[in-house]
Amino acid sequence: MGNDNSSSTMWNGRFTESTDAFVQAFTASVNFDNRLYRYDIEGSIAHAKMLKKVGILTKAERDSILDGLNTILQEIEDGSFSWSVALEDVHMNIESRLTQLIGDAGKKLHTGRSRNDQVATDIRLYMRAEIDFILEEILRLQEGLIEQAKKHADTIMPGFTHLQVAQPITFGHHMLAWHEMLSRDYERLVDCRKRVNVMPLGSAALAGTTYPIDRDYTCELLGFERPSYNSLDAVSDRDFAIEFCAAAALTLTHLSRCSEELIIWTSAQFDFIDLPDRFCTGSSIMPQKKNPDVPELVRGKTGRVNGHLISLLTLMKSQPLAYNKDNQEDKEPLFDAVDTLKGSLRAFADMIPAIDPKKEAMRKAAIQGFATATDLADYLVRKGIPFRDSHEVVGKAVRFGIQNSMDLSEMSLQQLQQFSDKIEEDIFDVLALDGSVNARNHTGGTSPTQVLRQVAIAQQRLEELKKQL
Ligand code: ARG
């Protein structure tokens, strides 16, 4: 990036000395805000069309501005555009090049606007596009989870509380738990998008402009829901970016929890799933190792995004109205939150369909953990014993099982009857893992019937949302 061009041509009228070289570099944002170029140009095109519509630009001036902006777009995309730190940011780099290309008409583009409403508009256009992409990725990931749930609606695994075996569940039910988390993340982003999709352009520096601008027209051209209603607020607040980071932090928190489970499941001690080699790496010293790097990284990257949320909240909290240069610091955290979320979602969307649960190992773990102890307690309740008493009875049976290394289902009827004479031959269906999950047959329960019912509902939602995208 060069620093040959002086920014002074843009604003130095009242200055008596040129900017200190360090200060110039310190205050510049072009190194990172140049990624907004497409939205900056899109906003400028709409602004130029509006200026022509209200009679501020002639048709010839507008056309030459549009030509110039399209040339700049091409230059940036083919890598021939030369960015200059001296021109501070993406906005002034593009405007300066425009004037270089088309002469005086270029200098008229900034009529009735300021970089303050320009940058707020650019970020909102950028975020709207990124949110749409992220929503698609969430759906792609959810599609994989639904597929797994369908395939494993009756695959038994132990369910945990406190990471101790609790009750048998189905792998499909577990996949759908992740799916539910992501549905809420999806809704949060859709909601956030509504507040992103409001147009600051026309607010100018802070108070609006004396030119007869037509904000409804620019709004329509840029596809915003409506123009902002208060110019001070519109150039100043970045709550929409904070909201996005909050939604991103929650989504990543969910992915981090899923990662943690995948990591545990791939350990030799659990051995519940196999992660294909392409999502893992080896160790340079321990030849036997296959490490679950992708989920570990997603878990780690969650910390970055949580940090970005705090950065943006802190950035905003003491700013008086209206625009302050502090806001230039919104971009790096926001961009990194977007990149990190996109990368993590992509990793998960690619990885989930490739997971292969090891049915035998999961079943064995459920048996070893006395996962059907609650089922025995519920059975005794059905035979008239109060729950607290049946809890006690089953506790004793479990102790006997531990001492003799056998699961409840492995005990003879006689052995079971020493704990309660209410226990009869029909107990063995109850203590079987499949009987246990089948019995939890209500909305939200783990039975295969319910899992398939939820799969159907999830599939229908997915199809409807895909149509809207
Ligand atoms: N680079 C600035 C930012 O990112 C653009 C707006 C600058 N406005 C100003 N008056 N200095 O916020």
Side-chain angles (χ1 to χ4, degrees):
M1 197 157 303
N3 60 348
D4 42 336
N5 266 315
S6 171
S7 60
S8 47
T9 50
M10 297 266 169
W11 46 249
N12 81 335
R14 57 104 73 211
F15 284 72
T16 54
E17 61 176 357
S18 55
T19 317
D20 180 273
F22 164 73
V23 171
Q24 188 173 73
F26 187 71
T27 53
S29 55
V30 64
N31 285 313
F32 50 85
D33 69 14
N34 62 3
R35 83 148 82 182
L36 294 173
Y37 72 88
R38 196 177 312 144
Y39 307 104
D40 197 68
I41 290 174
E42 192 185 340
S44 289
I45 288 176
H47 185 65
K49 286 182 178 171
M50 183 279 289
L51 290 179
K52 152 72 182 62
K53 182 169 183 277
V54 301
I56 294 172
L57 291 179
T58 64
K59 182 176 179 306
E61 285 167 337
R62 177 201 61 193
D63 291 345
S64 102
I65 287 174
L66 298 193
D67 282 349
L69 288 170
N70 281 318
T71 304
I72 292 170
L73 182 64
Q74 269 169 25
E75 287 178 352
I76 296 174
E77 301 211 314
D78 69 23
S80 64
F81 188 89
S82 104
W83 296 99
S84 159
V85 174
L87 286 165
E88 201 177 316
D89 56 26
V90 62
H91 324 292
M92 294 207 290
N93 268 267
I94 290 177
E95 195 191 323
S96 158
R97 176 69 182 141
L98 182 68
T99 302
Q100 232 178 44
L101 282 170
I102 67 165
D104 279 354
K107 294 186 189 164
K108 294 193 176 177
L109 174 62
H110 212 51
T111 315
R113 78 172 182 188
S114 147
R115 277 185 296 154
N116 297 352
D117 59 344
Q118 193 178 351
V119 69
T121 304
D122 290 5
I123 306 172
R124 284 170 183 268
L125 287 171
Y126 158 80
M127 283 188 62
R128 192 176 68 186
E130 295 293 356
I131 289 174
D132 287 345
F133 180 78
I134 290 166
L135 290 175
E136 263 179 65
E137 281 294 86
I138 293 181
L139 292 189
R140 191 163 75 86
L141 168 52
Q142 288 192 300
E143 199 163 5
L145 290 168
I146 296 169
E147 275 309 304
Q148 288 282 15
K150 195 171 171 184
K151 199 152 90 196
H152 294 289
D154 57 3
T155 300
I156 303 277
M157 70 179 285
F160 298 87
T161 59
H162 314 271
L163 203 56
Q164 311 286 322
V165 171
Q167 290 169 355
I169 57 169
T170 57
F171 189 75
H173 196 52
H174 202 113
M175 292 296 101
L176 288 182
W178 293 359
H179 172 273
E180 285 299 294
M181 298 174 184
L182 287 159
S183 291
R184 294 191 295 276
D185 295 328
Y186 188 96
E187 282 174 27
R188 266 185 284 272
L189 283 168
V190 167
D191 203 54
C192 168
R193 190 190 189 282
K194 290 182 205 156
R195 286 174 289 279
V196 165
N197 201 22
V198 173
M199 187 192 74
L201 196 60
S203 302
L206 76 163
T209 176
T210 54
Y211 297 98
I213 56 173
D214 182 345
R215 298 189 71 205
D216 292 326
Y217 183 58
T218 31
C219 192
E220 195 190 310
L221 291 175
L222 293 171
F224 280 110
E225 188 63 32
R226 63 170 176 84
S228 55
Y229 296 151
N230 183 292
S231 58
L232 297 173
D233 173 50
V235 294
S236 165
D237 210 335
R238 297 289 183 265
D239 58 353
F240 60 95
I242 297 174
E243 224 181 303
F244 171 83
C245 277
L250 266 174
T251 308
L252 272 154
T253 296
H254 286 150
L255 294 184
S256 180
R257 295 186 64 196
C258 302
S259 296
E260 174 72 2
E261 294 192 316
L262 291 177
I263 294 161
I264 291 172
W265 291 350
T266 53
S267 71
Q269 290 68 30
F270 269 75
D271 197 29
F272 282 6
I273 60 163
D274 223 3
L275 261 190
D277 289 356
R278 64 182 181 280
F279 299 107
C280 302
T281 63
S283 155
S284 53
I285 178 166
M286 296 168 285
Q288 85 283 13
K289 294 276 278 190
K290 175 174 153 182
N291 298 325
D293 290 48
V294 172
E296 284 176 85
L297 261 179
V298 170
R299 188 177 58 184
K301 282 174 187 290
T302 303
R304 288 161 77 123
V305 175
N306 291 350
H308 297 326
L309 170 61
I310 300 298
S311 296
L312 290 188
L313 281 167
T314 314
L315 177 70
M316 204 70 242
K317 72 177 271 294
S318 308
Q319 286 193 50
L321 288 170
Y323 177 85
N324 302 281
K325 184 77 167 175
D326 311 41
N327 272 345
Q328 182 163 292
E329 286 290 303
D330 64 356
K331 287 167 205 65
E332 287 165 294
L334 179 62
F335 293 163
D336 190 69
V338 166
D339 293 344
T340 307
L341 180 57
K342 274 163 56 178
S344 303
L345 282 169
R346 180 186 169 161
F348 258 80
D350 290 348
M351 201 166 51
I352 289 299
I355 288 172
D356 193 15
K358 298 182 177 176
K359 295 186 180 183
E360 275 319 302
M362 293 197 303
R363 183 171 271 275
K364 205 166 128 208
I367 290 174
Q368 280 168 353
F370 298 98
T372 55
T374 318
D375 297 86
L376 176 54
D378 290 344
Y379 171 89
L380 294 173
V381 167
R382 285 198 296 276
K383 302 262 168 164
I385 300 180
F387 184 78
R388 278 292 152 225
D389 295 338
S390 77
H391 187 285
E392 167 92 18
V393 166
V394 180
K396 287 181 177 145
V398 167
R399 195 194 318 152
F400 176 82
I402 293 168
Q403 279 158 359
N404 295 281
S405 306
M406 42 164 63
D407 180 56
L408 297 171
S409 62
E410 291 164 334
M411 295 177 194
S412 68
L413 185 59
Q414 230 178 357
Q415 280 170 323
L416 285 167
Q417 279 171 339
Q418 42 174 335
F419 305 107
S420 167
D421 56 9
K422 300 273 194 238
I423 296 177
E424 292 168 89
E425 190 63 48
D426 59 353
I427 189 62
F428 293 105
D429 289 339
V430 170
L431 293 179
L433 296 173
D434 303 83
S436 169
V437 295
N438 284 334
R440 287 166 168 77
N441 191 20
H442 53 77
T443 302
T446 195
S447 79
T449 318
Q450 292 300 328
V451 169
L452 290 175
R453 213 181 121 218
Q454 294 303 329
V455 162
I457 294 170
Q459 268 170 339
Q460 199 186 343
R461 165 188 170 272
L462 199 75
E463 288 318 312
E464 275 162 26
L465 289 177
K466 271 171 129 180
K467 268 186 252 155
Q468 288 168 28
L469 284 176

